[in-house]
Amino acid sequence: RALLEATPDMIFELKRDGTIVQFIPSADHGPFLPPEEFLGKTLKQVLPSIAEQAGFAIGRALDSGQVNAFEYQLPNGNNRRDFEARITPAGPDLVLATVRDVSLRKWAEAERESLINELEAKNAELERFTYTVSHDLKSPLITIKGFLGYVREDVQTGNMERFEADLRRIGTAAEKMQHLLGDLLELSRIGRLTNEPEYIT
């Protein structure tokens, strides 16, 4: 009895028709109603919102001789709490129902799912960003590589006017790449640097 009273689960003894025979409250949470208000009553009278679901689970557990579980929600002020019930056969027409508050677990699962979705979105954004940066960095490199061939031709033919023009194009492409790399460096610092706090009036 002491062990049962120390468990974090609520324990109900129920008949096939859902009548509550016995009840042991959770060590972590008090009963939602005083025991005298629901002992001897059916789930349909006490918790009509889950009576059909619980009745089905009770019937399945008794007929199969195996544990049957289901989850449900109950209002809690402006919020709702999540519970998991496990129905275990305890006799020809009796079952034991252990009920656990799984609200924290459900919240953690939702937070985990939200973080995974956020991470996937950020990874997709990073992939698009990497593709764009890669394309922008390749552009001046292609220009430099292409005009190096022209410079070689200019030197061989002695065309100094075109030689100077081609060198200017190579210089412009190199400056563009330098600006891009500088902007990338500034962008990488954004997440690491913090501004000094300022008073707002």
Side-chain angles (χ1 to χ4, degrees), residues 14-17 55-66 68 87-96:
L14 302 161
K15 291 182 179 179
R16 183 183 284 270
D17 64 359
F56 178 80
I58 291 169
R60 285 288 298 271
L62 287 171
D63 294 339
S64 66
Q66 296 178 347
N68 202 278
I87 311 296
T88 307
D93 284 305
L94 282 177
V95 296
L96 287 179

PDB file of all heavy atoms in Angstrom, residues 14-17 55-66 68 87-96:
ATOM      1  N   LEU A  14     -11.554  -0.499 -11.679  1.00  0.00           N
ATOM      2  CA  LEU A  14     -12.787  -0.243 -12.404  1.00  0.00           C
ATOM      3  C   LEU A  14     -13.477  -1.541 -12.790  1.00  0.00           C
ATOM      4  O   LEU A  14     -12.823  -2.548 -13.086  1.00  0.00           O
ATOM      5  CB  LEU A  14     -12.485   0.545 -13.690  1.00  0.00           C
ATOM      6  CG  LEU A  14     -11.780   1.900 -13.548  1.00  0.00           C
ATOM      7  CD1 LEU A  14     -11.162   2.310 -14.864  1.00  0.00           C
ATOM      8  CD2 LEU A  14     -12.746   2.949 -13.064  1.00  0.00           C
ATOM      9  N   LYS A  15     -14.799  -1.495 -12.812  1.00  0.00           N
ATOM     10  CA  LYS A  15     -15.576  -2.610 -13.338  1.00  0.00           C
ATOM     11  C   LYS A  15     -15.694  -2.469 -14.854  1.00  0.00           C
ATOM     12  O   LYS A  15     -15.375  -1.430 -15.428  1.00  0.00           O
ATOM     13  CB  LYS A  15     -16.979  -2.623 -12.719  1.00  0.00           C
ATOM     14  CG  LYS A  15     -16.996  -2.971 -11.237  1.00  0.00           C
ATOM     15  CD  LYS A  15     -18.433  -3.017 -10.737  1.00  0.00           C
ATOM     16  CE  LYS A  15     -18.499  -3.385  -9.254  1.00  0.00           C
ATOM     17  NZ  LYS A  15     -19.890  -3.400  -8.751  1.00  0.00           N
ATOM     18  N   ARG A  16     -16.190  -3.523 -15.486  1.00  0.00           N
ATOM     19  CA  ARG A  16     -16.345  -3.505 -16.947  1.00  0.00           C
ATOM     20  C   ARG A  16     -17.209  -2.340 -17.410  1.00  0.00           C
ATOM     21  O   ARG A  16     -16.957  -1.749 -18.473  1.00  0.00           O
ATOM     22  CB  ARG A  16     -16.938  -4.836 -17.422  1.00  0.00           C
ATOM     23  CG  ARG A  16     -17.075  -4.928 -18.947  1.00  0.00           C
ATOM     24  CD  ARG A  16     -17.738  -6.220 -19.378  1.00  0.00           C
ATOM     25  NE  ARG A  16     -16.825  -7.344 -19.292  1.00  0.00           N
ATOM     26  CZ  ARG A  16     -16.042  -7.746 -20.283  1.00  0.00           C
ATOM     27  NH1 ARG A  16     -16.053  -7.104 -21.434  1.00  0.00           N
ATOM     28  NH2 ARG A  16     -15.262  -8.803 -20.139  1.00  0.00           N
ATOM     29  N   ASP A  17     -18.243  -2.010 -16.624  1.00  0.00           N
ATOM     30  CA  ASP A  17     -19.137  -0.918 -17.040  1.00  0.00           C
ATOM     31  C   ASP A  17     -18.577   0.466 -16.700  1.00  0.00           C
ATOM     32  O   ASP A  17     -19.251   1.482 -16.890  1.00  0.00           O
ATOM     33  CB  ASP A  17     -20.519  -1.097 -16.401  1.00  0.00           C
ATOM     34  CG  ASP A  17     -20.471  -0.985 -14.872  1.00  0.00           C
ATOM     35  OD1 ASP A  17     -19.377  -0.786 -14.296  1.00  0.00           O
ATOM     36  OD2 ASP A  17     -21.549  -1.108 -14.236  1.00  0.00           O
ATOM     37  N   GLY A  55     -14.130   3.131 -21.913  1.00  0.00           N
ATOM     38  CA  GLY A  55     -14.949   1.919 -21.979  1.00  0.00           C
ATOM     39  C   GLY A  55     -14.436   0.949 -23.038  1.00  0.00           C
ATOM     40  O   GLY A  55     -14.394  -0.264 -22.812  1.00  0.00           O
ATOM     41  N   PHE A  56     -14.024   1.493 -24.175  1.00  0.00           N
ATOM     42  CA  PHE A  56     -13.480   0.658 -25.233  1.00  0.00           C
ATOM     43  C   PHE A  56     -12.189  -0.018 -24.773  1.00  0.00           C
ATOM     44  O   PHE A  56     -11.986  -1.225 -24.988  1.00  0.00           O
ATOM     45  CB  PHE A  56     -13.215   1.504 -26.479  1.00  0.00           C
ATOM     46  CG  PHE A  56     -12.601   0.742 -27.610  1.00  0.00           C
ATOM     47  CD1 PHE A  56     -13.369  -0.058 -28.436  1.00  0.00           C
ATOM     48  CD2 PHE A  56     -11.237   0.826 -27.857  1.00  0.00           C
ATOM     49  CE1 PHE A  56     -12.810  -0.768 -29.484  1.00  0.00           C
ATOM     50  CE2 PHE A  56     -10.655   0.120 -28.897  1.00  0.00           C
ATOM     51  CZ  PHE A  56     -11.441  -0.680 -29.716  1.00  0.00           C
ATOM     52  N   ALA A  57     -11.308   0.743 -24.101  1.00  0.00           N
ATOM     53  CA  ALA A  57     -10.032   0.200 -23.626  1.00  0.00           C
ATOM     54  C   ALA A  57     -10.256  -0.859 -22.550  1.00  0.00           C
ATOM     55  O   ALA A  57      -9.563  -1.882 -22.521  1.00  0.00           O
ATOM     56  CB  ALA A  57      -9.157   1.331 -23.089  1.00  0.00           C
ATOM     57  N   ILE A  58     -11.228  -0.635 -21.664  1.00  0.00           N
ATOM     58  CA  ILE A  58     -11.538  -1.615 -20.616  1.00  0.00           C
ATOM     59  C   ILE A  58     -12.013  -2.923 -21.243  1.00  0.00           C
ATOM     60  O   ILE A  58     -11.579  -4.020 -20.882  1.00  0.00           O
ATOM     61  CB  ILE A  58     -12.596  -1.051 -19.640  1.00  0.00           C
ATOM     62  CG1 ILE A  58     -11.985   0.084 -18.804  1.00  0.00           C
ATOM     63  CG2 ILE A  58     -13.130  -2.147 -18.717  1.00  0.00           C
ATOM     64  CD1 ILE A  58     -13.000   0.879 -18.000  1.00  0.00           C
ATOM     65  N   GLY A  59     -12.939  -2.810 -22.203  1.00  0.00           N
ATOM     66  CA  GLY A  59     -13.451  -3.990 -22.876  1.00  0.00           C
ATOM     67  C   GLY A  59     -12.357  -4.750 -23.600  1.00  0.00           C
ATOM     68  O   GLY A  59     -12.281  -5.984 -23.528  1.00  0.00           O
ATOM     69  N   ARG A  60     -11.477  -4.027 -24.305  1.00  0.00           N
ATOM     70  CA  ARG A  60     -10.378  -4.672 -25.025  1.00  0.00           C
ATOM     71  C   ARG A  60      -9.437  -5.390 -24.065  1.00  0.00           C
ATOM     72  O   ARG A  60      -8.988  -6.512 -24.330  1.00  0.00           O
ATOM     73  CB  ARG A  60      -9.587  -3.627 -25.831  1.00  0.00           C
ATOM     74  CG  ARG A  60     -10.264  -3.146 -27.083  1.00  0.00           C
ATOM     75  CD  ARG A  60     -10.272  -4.204 -28.184  1.00  0.00           C
ATOM     76  NE  ARG A  60      -8.939  -4.566 -28.602  1.00  0.00           N
ATOM     77  CZ  ARG A  60      -8.260  -3.958 -29.562  1.00  0.00           C
ATOM     78  NH1 ARG A  60      -8.821  -2.958 -30.219  1.00  0.00           N
ATOM     79  NH2 ARG A  60      -7.059  -4.379 -29.897  1.00  0.00           N
ATOM     80  N   ALA A  61      -9.122  -4.749 -22.925  1.00  0.00           N
ATOM     81  CA  ALA A  61      -8.202  -5.347 -21.957  1.00  0.00           C
ATOM     82  C   ALA A  61      -8.799  -6.615 -21.357  1.00  0.00           C
ATOM     83  O   ALA A  61      -8.115  -7.635 -21.228  1.00  0.00           O
ATOM     84  CB  ALA A  61      -7.876  -4.338 -20.862  1.00  0.00           C
ATOM     85  N   LEU A  62     -10.082  -6.577 -21.006  1.00  0.00           N
ATOM     86  CA  LEU A  62     -10.722  -7.746 -20.402  1.00  0.00           C
ATOM     87  C   LEU A  62     -10.875  -8.886 -21.409  1.00  0.00           C
ATOM     88  O   LEU A  62     -10.680 -10.057 -21.073  1.00  0.00           O
ATOM     89  CB  LEU A  62     -12.086  -7.357 -19.819  1.00  0.00           C
ATOM     90  CG  LEU A  62     -12.037  -6.517 -18.530  1.00  0.00           C
ATOM     91  CD1 LEU A  62     -13.433  -6.005 -18.172  1.00  0.00           C
ATOM     92  CD2 LEU A  62     -11.455  -7.321 -17.368  1.00  0.00           C
ATOM     93  N   ASP A  63     -11.226  -8.542 -22.649  1.00  0.00           N
ATOM     94  CA  ASP A  63     -11.454  -9.580 -23.654  1.00  0.00           C
ATOM     95  C   ASP A  63     -10.152 -10.204 -24.145  1.00  0.00           C
ATOM     96  O   ASP A  63     -10.110 -11.394 -24.463  1.00  0.00           O
ATOM     97  CB  ASP A  63     -12.233  -9.005 -24.835  1.00  0.00           C
ATOM     98  CG  ASP A  63     -13.647  -8.583 -24.447  1.00  0.00           C
ATOM     99  OD1 ASP A  63     -14.141  -9.091 -23.414  1.00  0.00           O
ATOM    100  OD2 ASP A  63     -14.234  -7.746 -25.154  1.00  0.00           O
ATOM    101  N   SER A  64      -9.084  -9.412 -24.205  1.00  0.00           N
ATOM    102  CA  SER A  64      -7.817  -9.924 -24.735  1.00  0.00           C
ATOM    103  C   SER A  64      -6.884 -10.428 -23.638  1.00  0.00           C
ATOM    104  O   SER A  64      -5.959 -11.183 -23.913  1.00  0.00           O
ATOM    105  CB  SER A  64      -7.100  -8.823 -25.532  1.00  0.00           C
ATOM    106  OG  SER A  64      -6.693  -7.764 -24.667  1.00  0.00           O
ATOM    107  N   GLY A  65      -7.133  -9.953 -22.394  1.00  0.00           N
ATOM    108  CA  GLY A  65      -6.227 -10.319 -21.299  1.00  0.00           C
ATOM    109  C   GLY A  65      -4.904  -9.578 -21.368  1.00  0.00           C
ATOM    110  O   GLY A  65      -3.941  -9.939 -20.687  1.00  0.00           O
ATOM    111  N   GLN A  66      -4.842  -8.530 -22.170  1.00  0.00           N
ATOM    112  CA  GLN A  66      -3.602  -7.778 -22.329  1.00  0.00           C
ATOM    113  C   GLN A  66      -3.806  -6.317 -21.944  1.00  0.00           C
ATOM    114  O   GLN A  66      -4.935  -5.818 -21.898  1.00  0.00           O
ATOM    115  CB  GLN A  66      -3.128  -7.859 -23.782  1.00  0.00           C
ATOM    116  CG  GLN A  66      -2.776  -9.281 -24.219  1.00  0.00           C
ATOM    117  CD  GLN A  66      -2.349  -9.316 -25.674  1.00  0.00           C
ATOM    118  OE1 GLN A  66      -2.531  -8.352 -26.420  1.00  0.00           O
ATOM    119  NE2 GLN A  66      -1.788 -10.446 -26.088  1.00  0.00           N
ATOM    120  N   ASN A  68      -4.038  -2.451 -22.278  1.00  0.00           N
ATOM    121  CA  ASN A  68      -4.515  -1.554 -23.324  1.00  0.00           C
ATOM    122  C   ASN A  68      -4.283  -0.120 -22.851  1.00  0.00           C
ATOM    123  O   ASN A  68      -4.591   0.203 -21.704  1.00  0.00           O
ATOM    124  CB  ASN A  68      -6.001  -1.812 -23.592  1.00  0.00           C
ATOM    125  CG  ASN A  68      -6.408  -1.341 -24.970  1.00  0.00           C
ATOM    126  OD1 ASN A  68      -6.670  -0.168 -25.162  1.00  0.00           O
ATOM    127  ND2 ASN A  68      -6.434  -2.259 -25.920  1.00  0.00           N
ATOM    128  N   ILE A  87      -4.626   0.287 -19.036  1.00  0.00           N
ATOM    129  CA  ILE A  87      -5.657  -0.574 -18.467  1.00  0.00           C
ATOM    130  C   ILE A  87      -5.128  -2.016 -18.405  1.00  0.00           C
ATOM    131  O   ILE A  87      -4.772  -2.594 -19.436  1.00  0.00           O
ATOM    132  CB  ILE A  87      -6.947  -0.533 -19.320  1.00  0.00           C
ATOM    133  CG1 ILE A  87      -7.346   0.922 -19.624  1.00  0.00           C
ATOM    134  CG2 ILE A  87      -8.069  -1.285 -18.629  1.00  0.00           C
ATOM    135  CD1 ILE A  87      -7.713   1.743 -18.431  1.00  0.00           C
ATOM    136  N   THR A  88      -5.102  -2.586 -17.197  1.00  0.00           N
ATOM    137  CA  THR A  88      -4.591  -3.945 -16.997  1.00  0.00           C
ATOM    138  C   THR A  88      -5.690  -4.832 -16.432  1.00  0.00           C
ATOM    139  O   THR A  88      -6.332  -4.447 -15.430  1.00  0.00           O
ATOM    140  CB  THR A  88      -3.399  -3.938 -16.007  1.00  0.00           C
ATOM    141  OG1 THR A  88      -2.427  -2.998 -16.471  1.00  0.00           O
ATOM    142  CG2 THR A  88      -2.772  -5.317 -15.892  1.00  0.00           C
ATOM    143  N   PRO A  89      -5.962  -6.002 -17.004  1.00  0.00           N
ATOM    144  CA  PRO A  89      -6.984  -6.906 -16.441  1.00  0.00           C
ATOM    145  C   PRO A  89      -6.605  -7.312 -15.021  1.00  0.00           C
ATOM    146  O   PRO A  89      -5.451  -7.616 -14.727  1.00  0.00           O
ATOM    147  CB  PRO A  89      -6.945  -8.111 -17.381  1.00  0.00           C
ATOM    148  CG  PRO A  89      -6.268  -7.631 -18.616  1.00  0.00           C
ATOM    149  CD  PRO A  89      -5.329  -6.564 -18.212  1.00  0.00           C
ATOM    150  N   ALA A  90      -7.602  -7.316 -14.112  1.00  0.00           N
ATOM    151  CA  ALA A  90      -7.342  -7.693 -12.718  1.00  0.00           C
ATOM    152  C   ALA A  90      -8.353  -8.722 -12.223  1.00  0.00           C
ATOM    153  O   ALA A  90      -8.387  -9.033 -11.041  1.00  0.00           O
ATOM    154  CB  ALA A  90      -7.392  -6.446 -11.827  1.00  0.00           C
ATOM    155  N   GLY A  91      -9.186  -9.236 -13.110  1.00  0.00           N
ATOM    156  CA  GLY A  91     -10.205 -10.207 -12.737  1.00  0.00           C
ATOM    157  C   GLY A  91     -11.171 -10.382 -13.889  1.00  0.00           C
ATOM    158  O   GLY A  91     -11.020  -9.736 -14.936  1.00  0.00           O
ATOM    159  N   PRO A  92     -12.185 -11.225 -13.724  1.00  0.00           N
ATOM    160  CA  PRO A  92     -13.140 -11.455 -14.818  1.00  0.00           C
ATOM    161  C   PRO A  92     -13.806 -10.181 -15.320  1.00  0.00           C
ATOM    162  O   PRO A  92     -14.029 -10.012 -16.516  1.00  0.00           O
ATOM    163  CB  PRO A  92     -14.169 -12.412 -14.199  1.00  0.00           C
ATOM    164  CG  PRO A  92     -13.458 -13.056 -13.056  1.00  0.00           C
ATOM    165  CD  PRO A  92     -12.498 -12.035 -12.535  1.00  0.00           C
ATOM    166  N   ASP A  93     -14.132  -9.279 -14.386  1.00  0.00           N
ATOM    167  CA  ASP A  93     -14.796  -8.030 -14.775  1.00  0.00           C
ATOM    168  C   ASP A  93     -14.171  -6.821 -14.092  1.00  0.00           C
ATOM    169  O   ASP A  93     -14.843  -5.799 -13.903  1.00  0.00           O
ATOM    170  CB  ASP A  93     -16.290  -8.092 -14.440  1.00  0.00           C
ATOM    171  CG  ASP A  93     -17.064  -8.955 -15.425  1.00  0.00           C
ATOM    172  OD1 ASP A  93     -16.957  -8.671 -16.637  1.00  0.00           O
ATOM    173  OD2 ASP A  93     -17.717  -9.917 -14.990  1.00  0.00           O
ATOM    174  N   LEU A  94     -12.913  -6.942 -13.715  1.00  0.00           N
ATOM    175  CA  LEU A  94     -12.217  -5.835 -13.045  1.00  0.00           C
ATOM    176  C   LEU A  94     -10.919  -5.510 -13.776  1.00  0.00           C
ATOM    177  O   LEU A  94     -10.237  -6.389 -14.285  1.00  0.00           O
ATOM    178  CB  LEU A  94     -11.875  -6.208 -11.594  1.00  0.00           C
ATOM    179  CG  LEU A  94     -12.996  -6.141 -10.558  1.00  0.00           C
ATOM    180  CD1 LEU A  94     -12.474  -6.619  -9.205  1.00  0.00           C
ATOM    181  CD2 LEU A  94     -13.552  -4.726 -10.437  1.00  0.00           C
ATOM    182  N   VAL A  95     -10.617  -4.222 -13.808  1.00  0.00           N
ATOM    183  CA  VAL A  95      -9.327  -3.787 -14.368  1.00  0.00           C
ATOM    184  C   VAL A  95      -8.685  -2.795 -13.414  1.00  0.00           C
ATOM    185  O   VAL A  95      -9.360  -2.147 -12.599  1.00  0.00           O
ATOM    186  CB  VAL A  95      -9.493  -3.103 -15.755  1.00  0.00           C
ATOM    187  CG1 VAL A  95     -10.034  -4.074 -16.780  1.00  0.00           C
ATOM    188  CG2 VAL A  95     -10.357  -1.851 -15.656  1.00  0.00           C
ATOM    189  N   LEU A  96      -7.359  -2.672 -13.529  1.00  0.00           N
ATOM    190  CA  LEU A  96      -6.621  -1.606 -12.863  1.00  0.00           C
ATOM    191  C   LEU A  96      -6.217  -0.603 -13.928  1.00  0.00           C
ATOM    192  O   LEU A  96      -5.675  -0.987 -14.976  1.00  0.00           O
ATOM    193  CB  LEU A  96      -5.376  -2.150 -12.156  1.00  0.00           C
ATOM    194  CG  LEU A  96      -5.603  -2.961 -10.890  1.00  0.00           C
ATOM    195  CD1 LEU A  96      -4.258  -3.442 -10.336  1.00  0.00           C
ATOM    196  CD2 LEU A  96      -6.343  -2.149  -9.841  1.00  0.00           C
TER     197      LEU A  96
END
